[in-house]
């Protein structure tokens, strides 16, 4: 292209001026002074070009060559202005592509260096993101994908700091359970009984465990809130909303699993995380404690601790853990779950795990040996505390 510099005139100059005006870089004419001729490359326009070049890391010469021209074109786009995808010819470039790449990188998806060019690696990262968040992995950044990116933005972009704040809060919280507010979330209820085998329902089992846990937590001076009554089954987003409104310190979601194979059995715990990037470290720690305590106290199989972007974990603004306590479709697990003593053990194990989280490794006891009465003894000033 032809270079444009001070003194030039023509429609190309007017186009450059319009672009810089849209970016707020062209000074408005001094009041009373003569209005500038739009198609004339004057001193004010040259200053604006320099400012733009400096801003973008281009050579600051006040001359519009091909690099500056391209950068001006790219700057017109902000994320959401248009659909973005990989195009074989006519590769998409722009500040919107740059913003998308930055967002993907922040979320832990390797879109390569953020360069504002929608290439193959950007497409692959976008597809992975879409897959992880339950969308059709079409590699097209349209309204739905943008909504998810924005959605997540609140938890993760504001969220990396958010996840760090979780840690700060934990460290400031102190070791005592007394005064801490816990939301216990029985996974099902009302018209949604969850897994049902031979008249035994997941909703009934987790409601029972929730009550046992609630009783112990209250005795330890904690404020335990149930996310819903036995007649309701709110959506995960509503459960998360309840915990956020309550200003809970921790959310514990209780479930029992099922599998077409009766052989499948065991215990799994889940915390917020994308698997490739952002993770709630406090959630991960709590999930780990719960998992280890329950494994040490029961004979359940170790099915691991996993990061998941599920809504309850993602939309809550505090550490949240979901536990799948055995398989109702497995005979041994079912037999355990039907035993009230087993459900007591589970409740005690979860309470001890929460205590461990707040102990931050101090005055701790080996996994599986901490008892409910140990905890009550340590809660000086709690109603039953010794
Ligand atoms: Zn469930």
């Amino acid at each position: 292209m032809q270079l444009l510099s001070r003194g030039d005139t023509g429609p190309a100059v007017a186009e450059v001026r319009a672009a810089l005006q849209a970016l707020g870089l062209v000074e408005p004419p001094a009041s009373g002074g003569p209005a500038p001729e739009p198609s004339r490359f004057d001193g004010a326009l040259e200053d604006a070009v320099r400012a733009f070049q400096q801003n973008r890391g281009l050579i600051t010469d006040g001359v519009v060559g091909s690099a500056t021209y391209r950068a001006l074109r790219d700057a017109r786009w902000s994320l959401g202005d248009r659909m973005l995808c990989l195009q074989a010819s006519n590769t998409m470039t722009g500040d919107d592509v740059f913003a998308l790449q930055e967002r993907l990188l922040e979320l832990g998806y390797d879109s390569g260096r953020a360069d504002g060019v929608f290439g193959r690696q950007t497409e692959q990262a976008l597809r992975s993101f879409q897959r992880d968040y339950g969308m059709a992995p079409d590699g097209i950044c349209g309204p739905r994908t943008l909504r998810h990116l924005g959605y997540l933005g609140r938890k993760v972009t504001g969220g990396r700091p958010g996840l760090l704040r979780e840690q700060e809060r934990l460290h400031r919280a102190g070791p005592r359970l007394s005064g801490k507010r816990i939301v216990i979330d029985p996974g099902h209820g009302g018209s949604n009984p969850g897994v049902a085998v031979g008249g035994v329902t997941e909703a009934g089992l987790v409601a029972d465990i929730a009550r046992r846990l609630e009783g112990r937590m209250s005795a330890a001076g904690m404020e335990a809130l149930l996310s819903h009554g036995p007649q309701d089954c709110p959506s995960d987003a509503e459960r998360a909303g309840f915990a956020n409104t309550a200003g809970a310190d921790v959310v514990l979601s209780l479930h029992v699993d099922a599998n077409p194979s009766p052989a499948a059995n065991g215990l799994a715990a889940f915390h917020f995380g994308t698997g490739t990037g952002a993770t709630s470290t406090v959630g991960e720690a709590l999930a780990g404690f719960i998992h280890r305590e329950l494994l040490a106290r029961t004979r359940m199989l170790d099915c691991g601790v996993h990061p998941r972007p599920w809504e309850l974990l993602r939309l809550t603004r505090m550490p949240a853990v979901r536990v799948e306590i055995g398989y109702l479709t497995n005979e041994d697990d079912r037999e355990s779950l039907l035993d009230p003593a087993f459900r007591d053990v589970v409740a005690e194990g979860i309470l001890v795990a929460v205590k461990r989280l707040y102990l931050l490794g101090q005055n701790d006891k080996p996994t599986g040996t901490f008892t409910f009465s140990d905890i009550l003894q340590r809660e000086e000033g709690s109603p039953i505390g010794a």
Side-chain angles (χ1 to χ4, degrees):
M1 71 164 281
Q2 212 192 327
L3 297 183
L4 296 173
S5 59
R6 192 167 181 169
D8 285 337
T9 55
V13 174
E15 195 192 328
V16 168
R17 181 184 294 279
L20 290 166
Q21 241 155 15
L23 295 170
L25 289 173
V26 176
E27 296 270 321
S31 58
E37 168 58 43
S39 57
R40 188 181 160 74
F41 202 126
D42 56 13
L45 186 60
E46 189 183 54
D47 289 346
V49 170
R50 284 179 192 279
F52 176 75
Q53 290 172 324
Q54 192 170 23
N55 216 287
R56 298 265 155 171
L58 298 164
I59 295 163
T60 310
D61 57 6
V63 175
V64 179
S66 57
T68 300
Y69 189 68
R70 239 187 351 262
L72 278 168
R73 289 182 62 106
D74 286 353
R76 289 178 311 171
W77 301 108
S78 43
L79 193 55
D81 284 354
R82 55 178 178 171
M83 304 257 276
L84 295 173
C85 62
L86 182 66
Q87 293 186 343
S89 59
N90 199 13
T91 302
M92 300 186 87
T93 67
D95 284 11
D96 50 351
V97 177
F98 183 86
L100 171 66
Q101 291 170 324
E102 289 255 279
R103 183 60 65 90
L104 288 168
L105 283 167
E106 245 180 313
L107 292 168
Y109 295 90
D110 187 11
S111 54
R113 202 168 69 85
D115 57 5
V117 180
F118 200 113
R120 189 154 303 279
Q121 203 174 346
T122 304
E123 187 198 43
Q124 273 164 7
L126 182 59
R127 283 185 198 270
S128 305
F129 167 77
Q130 290 173 321
R131 209 172 289 122
D132 286 359
Y133 287 84
M135 287 170 277
D138 57 10
I140 298 170
C141 182
R144 189 170 147 75
T145 301
L146 281 170
R147 249 195 327 278
H148 276 260
L149 286 164
Y151 213 39
L152 292 165
R154 285 191 289 281
K155 169 115 190 176
V156 178
T157 308
R160 282 243 168 122
L163 297 174
L164 289 174
R165 272 197 296 279
E166 283 183 359
Q167 286 174 287
E168 277 169 35
R169 261 201 302 273
L170 173 64
H171 283 264
R172 277 202 312 270
R176 288 183 52 187
L177 291 178
S178 174
K180 303 230 162 44
R181 185 173 294 171
I182 307 291
V183 165
I184 304 170
D185 174 47
H188 301 266
S191 59
N192 176 357
V195 185
V197 176
V200 182
T201 67
E202 179 183 4
L205 287 171
V206 295
D208 176 89
I209 295 171
R211 272 193 302 276
R212 291 172 198 266
L213 186 54
E214 183 191 17
R216 281 170 175 73
M217 287 186 157
S218 302
M222 304 179 89
E223 206 182 329
L225 306 171
L226 293 177
S227 62
H228 62 91
Q231 301 313 317
D232 321 311
C233 191
S235 69
D236 277 1
E238 287 165 338
R239 294 164 197 254
F242 174 84
N244 290 341
T245 304
D249 293 295
V250 163
V251 177
L252 301 169
S253 186
L254 309 176
H255 287 257
V256 173
D257 218 336
N259 195 282
S261 161
N265 70 100
L267 171 83
F270 303 90
H271 58 86
F272 173 76
T274 59
T276 44
T279 287
S280 162
T281 46
V282 180
E284 186 177 14
L286 180 58
F289 287 135
I290 292 175
H291 194 66
R292 285 200 295 278
E293 283 297 335
L294 296 191
L295 287 180
R297 290 159 192 259
T298 69
R299 292 183 184 283
M300 280 187 285
L301 182 73
D302 182 350
C303 294
V305 175
H306 310 276
R308 289 286 185 273
W310 294 332
E311 283 204 328
L312 179 78
L313 306 177
R314 187 175 84 222
L315 300 179
T316 40
R317 291 199 289 267
M318 64 290 299
V321 172
R322 170 169 169 163
V323 267
E324 295 278 351
I325 309 158
Y327 284 73
L328 203 47
T329 43
N330 175 264
E331 209 182 314
D332 291 340
D333 277 0
R334 188 167 64 244
E335 197 178 307
S336 301
L337 283 161
L338 286 173
D339 178 0
F342 175 88
R343 300 197 294 271
D344 264 339
V345 167
V346 168
E348 180 161 321
I350 293 175
L351 175 69
V352 165
V354 173
K355 178 66 179 175
R356 277 190 196 286
L357 179 74
Y358 287 110
L359 282 176
L360 299 168
Q362 287 165 359
N363 304 316
D364 216 344
K365 290 189 166 205
T367 302
T369 64
F370 227 143
T371 67
F372 182 47
S373 52
D374 289 335
I375 284 179
L376 290 183
Q377 271 167 25
R378 288 190 181 206
E379 291 295 322
E380 294 170 1
S382 75
I384 312 177

